[in-house]
Amino acid sequence: MTVTETTAVLGAGIDRVDGPAKVTGRAAYPSDAAYPDLAYAALVGSAVAAGRISHIDAAAACAERGVLTVLTHENAPKLERGTSPPFAPATPPPLQEDRILHHGQYVAVVVADTPQAAAAAARLVAVSYETSEPLLDAADERGELLTDPWGFDTQRGDVAAGMAAAEISYEATFATAENTNNPLGLFATVAAWNGDAVTVHDATQFTSNVQASVAQAFGLPQTAVRVLAPYLGGGFGSGLRVWPHTMLTVLAARTVGRPVKTVLTRPQMFSGVGHRVDTVQTLKLGAKRDGELTAIDHEALQTVALEDDNVEPVAYGSSVGYACPNVSTRDLQRRLNIPVPGSMRAPGEAQGNFALESALDELSYELGIDPLQLRLRNYAEQHPGSGLPWSSKALRECFAVGAERFGWFSREPAVGAMRDRGRCVGYGMAGATYGWWQAHCEARATIAGDGSAFVRSAANDIGTGTYTVMRQLSAELLGLDPARVRFDLGDSDMPYAPQAGGSGLTGALGNAIDDACKRLLQRFLDLTADDDESPLRGCSLDDVTTTDGGIRRRDDPGSGERYEAILARHGVTDLTADGESNPPDPGQTGMALTGAFGAKFVEVRVDPELGLLRVVRVVSVIDGGRILNEKLARSQIVGATVGGIGQAMFEETITDAPSGRIANATFGDYLVAVNADMPDIDVVFVGAPDRNTATGTKGVGEIGLVGVAAAIANAVYHATGRRLRSLPITLDQLM
Ligand code: MCN
Ligand code: MOS
């Protein structure tokens, strides 16, 4: 009963099942939650980045018509810090003291009858500060330096010996800018108390954790907190953590005794829901003349907020990318007076891969080896750290198929040798690996009396397609038409689910549903076990298949029964089973935990006089294990490629010194890649079902972004001879 093949229901891809609700406006996003008597909160942010509040005067704001209350550190009740599951650590609880840790830190919440009244009164809250000099720069040595903050550093072999054995050595420093996630949907929270229990509608990628976190912060049992998050207007990682505005909304609603809604402003989205940290990275490589790597040494310094535990393995990725015997990777953090960071699509890999894949490109020129050949020369046949076999790896095929589709072999190897109508033409490529972050997940499956299915889990669909692929998967497992399966998510009353993050939800949830459906089938077989009237009498799970709305014998596909017939005959109204999935244990499976792989090929054109850079073609070949819905998976890779182009060429969050204010916190000033910047994006999936889990999927949400920036920078070098080691690549660097 394992689903590993492409079937009529799975693979090719059906349209999004939530599409009609979204385009007709029926899909209720968190900010759409409506309550009679709803009040509105507006948040006041600190105007300085460091120091303390010397005086705060809310009298003028309180006196405004329609204002219900103003909460500040002087009158806010105590809040505990929320829960900290991996990759979604709790943020410091708001309004607990007079210290200021960053610009934009919430110093007051104004609650009023209308959003307009709240926003107007928020401007009347008078705050005086005792300012101290903020730490804003990663290079500022006064900021505390954390080494190996999460135990991710890796050490294998002997890097010094590897360097000594090298015939050619390489060292360079790379820098990547701070980026901001910028989902289109402004994050919002609506909180409504009912006695001692609270319902929270929240913009989140992790419903179950908002429930646990709010419960912990407010000293409630989890059963007193219900979190609803059926839709999210994008997240790209910013919805992984529970942010202060969520806690403040719950607090405000309790204070005024009415439901309260908070919708962040766009500038607050820059300081209040995380960002991709900037990095400075030093990369050293040692190699033989034939291209064999003898040593990799990667040290990455990233920034982090004061009193925060953001996690971002930047250098770490260099330990698993290639088959090098001597590797050291070290991640360092500098604590600064900056807003709390968070994950942004492919956190860590996005920055670290840029350094590694740029460095390999440079090395290939020094060695006179084709960049693609250099990657193949160092192909990791086993997981380089553990030596265990991969549970699936088709990176070689990614390279081969990509090179073929792109026309890599027609590339003129010399720098600046390719021209077209006055433009310098460059071909660049990069390899991409993504980690494996599947977490414990639960699901519940029911077959109703009419033979239709009802499957649920507290998981999230953040625009990815969870609703669709889980309905498909359930239909396939139970042998039902997808139209007869209702799959629902986004409610913390449903079985626990981990974050839609780390590209791990499809694996975690898919395998939990697989387990639930198998247990459900077992319950049916328990009913028919000694049922003389059933053709399934005595059958075990291994003896049957599911199709046409019921169960059939494998040895005699003509004999079987529909679910409703079994239920009716036994006088049972419906049957339910709970299932779960856990990360496979390499100690038991003998296989490494294996994420997605990819190969990126890019063509750029550079105007040699104006420095104008255009990406004209991207070929992205991905090994995502078994693909559940190719249409949606492709959409993931296209979207992530757009994000990668943004990272490479446009996105840069700029902090003003010494105020610590984000200087470009609007869509007018913060550039993202738009339609007019988009090249032709060709996406291909290769590979086989992953052997580590029942459903055989690997994540595809982030791998599409990894490698795009390096491939672009490498293509720029090929076109122009300019080696650009800092992102974003801007016009002035190319003049
Ligand atoms: N899929 C598939 N076959 C697979 C794996 C995935 O068909 N083998 C498809 C499915 O449609 C699935 C989607 O790809 O819903 C993403 O699955 P997965 O890779 O498991 O990623 P998650 O469900 O964990 O989603 C999170 C991931 C991350 S970490 C970020 S960041 C991100 C991303 O997804 N943010 C997104 N994609 C996004 N897409 C949209 N529209 N909006 C975001 O904010
Ligand atoms: Mo994705 S950055 O792990 O939500």
Side-chain angles (χ1 to χ4, degrees):
M1 271 312 306
T2 299
V3 178
T4 48
E5 298 306 318
T6 296
T7 65
V9 178
L10 280 167
I14 60 171
D15 289 345
R16 281 173 201 270
V17 297
D18 50 336
K22 281 186 169 172
V23 298
T24 55
R26 272 185 292 117
Y29 289 82
S31 58
D32 294 326
Y35 286 89
D37 211 23
L38 186 60
Y40 300 83
L43 304 170
V44 180
S46 166
V48 305
R52 50 176 289 276
I53 300 167
S54 50
H55 187 67
I56 189 158
D57 184 355
C62 285
E64 282 292 285
R65 185 146 45 140
V67 171
L68 302 169
T69 194
V70 178
L71 290 169
T72 69
H73 72 281
E74 290 178 347
N75 61 357
K78 176 129 183 67
L79 285 176
E80 297 300 328
R81 204 168 171 127
T83 48
S84 286
F87 303 99
T91 51
L95 297 189
Q96 297 299 296
E97 51 172 341
D98 62 1
R99 286 185 311 146
I100 298 295
L101 305 183
H102 69 85
H103 191 282
Q105 174 186 322
Y106 303 129
V107 295
V109 185
V110 179
V111 189
D113 282 330
T114 66
Q116 293 79 4
R123 284 191 283 273
L124 300 178
V125 177
V127 194
S128 318
Y129 302 92
E130 215 170 78
T131 312
S132 53
E133 194 192 338
L135 302 168
L136 296 171
D137 190 342
D140 192 331
E141 293 187 354
R142 291 171 301 169
E144 186 191 354
L145 187 69
L146 309 179
T147 52
D148 195 12
W150 333 278
F152 275 167
D153 288 4
T154 65
Q155 207 64 245
R156 80 170 173 262
D158 180 342
V159 169
M163 285 294 178
E167 289 165 353
I168 184 161
S169 63
Y170 165 93
E171 175 172 352
T173 300
F174 296 84
T176 63
E178 179 178 325
N179 297 159
T180 300
N181 309 49
N182 273 315
L184 272 186
L186 295 170
F187 273 27
T189 307
V190 177
W193 286 84
N194 182 0
D196 290 330
V198 64
T199 300
V200 184
H201 307 257
D202 200 28
T204 180
Q205 298 175 216
F206 194 174
T207 305
S208 294
N209 186 46
V210 178
Q211 178 194 35
S213 242
V214 168
Q216 181 153 312
F218 288 84
L220 296 168
Q222 285 198 25
T223 48
V225 181
R226 184 175 186 195
V227 176
L228 298 168
Y231 294 101
L232 177 68
F236 313 107
S238 47
L240 291 175
R241 306 183 67 176
V242 183
W243 299 106
H245 72 266
T246 298
M247 298 300 185
L248 289 176
T249 308
V250 176
L251 188 64
R254 196 177 67 185
T255 308
V256 299
R258 282 167 62 174
V260 169
K261 177 194 285 197
T262 307
V263 182
L264 296 188
T265 63
R266 184 55 63 181
Q268 285 168 346
M269 292 290 287
F270 278 77
S271 55
V273 295
H275 61 263
R276 176 186 281 146
V277 289
D278 50 321
T279 69
V280 178
Q281 308 174 48
T282 306
L283 209 110
K284 297 180 195 159
L285 300 176
K288 298 283 192 192
R289 281 265 153 230
D290 66 358
E292 184 193 337
L293 289 170
T294 57
I296 300 174
D297 184 275
H298 191 167
E299 183 169 287
L301 172 65
Q302 62 181 278
T303 55
V304 68
L306 297 180
E307 299 175 17
D308 183 46
D309 304 313
N310 185 58
V311 174
E312 202 127 343
V314 177
Y316 171 78
S318 290
S319 71
V320 289
Y322 293 95
C324 178
N326 307 303
V327 179
S328 167
T329 66
R330 299 175 304 283
D331 279 297
L332 313 174
Q333 288 186 312
R334 177 87 66 198
R335 284 209 186 277
L336 300 175
N337 292 100
I338 56 169
V340 174
S343 296
M344 179 165 161
R345 216 164 186 174
E349 272 93 347
Q351 304 101 316
N353 173 284
F354 168 64
L356 178 65
E357 293 291 327
S358 296
L360 287 174
D361 198 65
E362 290 197 57
L363 191 65
S364 76
Y365 285 93
E366 282 186 43
L367 292 167
I369 297 176
D370 180 274
L372 173 54
Q373 292 312 317
L374 181 65
R375 268 82 176 177
L376 293 172
R377 181 78 189 73
N378 295 288
Y379 195 80
E381 302 286 357
Q382 295 91 31
H383 186 276
S386 64
L388 291 172
W390 302 101
S391 48
S392 59
K393 183 171 185 176
L395 180 56
R396 200 184 288 286
E397 207 178 338
C398 293
F399 284 133
V401 171
E404 181 65 35
R405 286 178 86 99
F406 183 80
W408 179 257
F409 300 112
S410 65
R411 172 180 183 265
E412 190 65 59
V415 167
M418 293 172 78
R419 291 249 166 180
D420 184 44
R421 283 164 287 170
R423 300 283 191 278
C424 303
V425 175
Y427 285 8
M429 57 85 54
T433 10
Y434 188 77
W436 189 94
W437 311 117
Q438 202 170 300
H440 171 77
C441 187
E442 298 168 16
R444 180 169 301 150
T446 300
I447 297 268
D450 65 356
S452 69
F454 200 58
V455 181
R456 51 175 83 189
S457 170
N460 295 79
D461 184 328
I462 63 174
T464 37
T466 317
Y467 280 113
T468 310
V469 293
M470 294 308 153
R471 190 197 283 191
Q472 287 175 270
L473 183 65
S474 307
E476 176 63 37
L477 288 160
L478 296 170
L480 288 166
D481 188 303
R484 304 204 71 214
V485 176
R486 282 163 294 169
F487 170 74
D488 208 2
L489 52 67
D491 179 344
S492 64
D493 277 359
M494 297 175 183
Y496 174 91
Q499 64 271 37
S503 303
L505 183 62
T506 304
L509 179 55
N511 290 316
I513 289 178
D514 182 89
D515 187 49
C517 288
K518 284 174 185 161
R519 289 173 190 273
L520 182 56
L521 291 174
Q522 184 58 55
R523 297 205 64 189
F524 275 91
L525 294 178
D526 290 346
L527 283 185
T528 57
D530 36 39
D531 176 354
D532 289 333
E533 288 173 53
S534 177
L536 301 171
R537 183 175 195 280
C539 284
S540 73
L541 262 187
D542 290 336
D543 302 330
V544 299
T545 60
T546 57
T547 173
D548 294 334
I551 308 175
R552 281 164 193 266
R553 299 180 68 106
R554 240 179 233 285
D555 60 0
D556 178 11
S559 66
E561 272 195 291
R562 291 176 65 89
Y563 297 117
E564 57 268 41
I566 300 173
L567 291 174
R569 195 171 58 255
H570 290 269
V572 177
T573 50
D574 51 51
L575 278 182
T576 295
D578 287 339
E580 62 171 357
S581 72
N582 290 295
D585 172 6
Q588 271 178 15
T589 63
M591 291 184 284
L593 298 175
T594 308
F597 298 97
K600 313 296 166 86
F601 293 84
V602 165
E603 177 180 340
V604 301
R605 310 232 154 173
V606 182
D607 181 324
E609 271 140 41
L610 299 175
L612 287 173
L613 165 63
R614 263 199 87 83
V615 176
V616 295
R617 273 189 317 134
V618 177
V619 175
S620 185
V621 188
I622 304 294
D623 165 12
R626 177 162 183 254
I627 299 301
L628 294 183
N629 182 323
E630 191 166 326
K631 184 176 181 181
L632 291 174
R634 177 183 308 276
S635 158
Q636 285 296 302
I637 303 303
V638 169
T641 304
V642 175
I645 293 171
Q647 182 202 14
M649 294 170 56
F650 303 105
E651 299 192 41
E652 180 170 18
T653 307
I654 298 166
T655 299
D656 175 63
S659 71
R661 187 179 72 93
I662 294 169
N664 59 342
T666 70
F667 274 168
D669 298 311
Y670 182 91
L671 300 184
V672 294
V674 298
N675 230 355
D677 303 307
M678 278 313 109
D680 177 48
I681 301 172
D682 181 23
V683 177
V684 191
F685 293 100
V686 298
D690 187 75
R691 294 179 294 143
N692 250 334
T693 68
T695 56
T697 64
K698 296 193 284 188
V700 302
E702 292 161 287
I703 186 73
L705 189 144
V706 186
V708 173
I712 292 173
N714 295 343
V716 166
Y717 178 75
H718 180 235
T720 65
R722 294 275 176 98
R723 178 57 68 181
L724 300 176
R725 299 192 192 89
S726 90
L727 297 180
I729 294 168
T730 49
L731 208 126
D732 52 304
Q733 295 172 301
L734 285 170
M735 293 268 273

